[in-house]
Amino acid sequence: DVKDGVMVASVQDDTPASQAGFQVEDVIVRFNNQPVTNEGTFRDLISRTAPGTRVPVVVIRAGKEITLNPTISEPKD
């Protein structure tokens, strides 16, 4: 279980997440230099980011911090 951050449950092919290198069980702890404490704050940070913006996202993977740089896509219906 994750205390701080949001665990990646799945990554679909051909999405900004897969293209940026996200993996299942990565724990997202920072989004665009803002701390991610839970899914609600994570969704809020994404919703306030313009589509097409490339943002640094820090994940914990196997105990190490890794920075990925996804490009935010248009929201899906």
Side-chain angles (χ1 to χ4, degrees), residues 3-64:
K3 290 195 295 282
D4 281 325
V6 174
M7 184 176 287
V8 176
S10 67
V11 179
Q12 267 125 26
D13 292 338
D14 298 322
T15 62
S18 70
Q19 291 160 3
F22 284 91
Q23 295 181 8
V24 172
E25 295 192 357
D26 282 351
V27 178
I28 299 166
V29 292
R30 293 184 76 74
F31 178 90
N32 206 13
N33 303 314
Q34 300 294 313
V36 172
T37 52
N38 58 48
E39 198 167 321
T41 58
F42 182 54
R43 288 180 188 278
D44 189 47
L45 289 166
I46 292 172
S47 71
R48 289 189 278 150
T49 305
T53 306
R54 196 173 165 105
V55 294
V57 178
V58 177
V59 301
I60 306 289
R61 179 182 301 161
K64 296 191 176 86

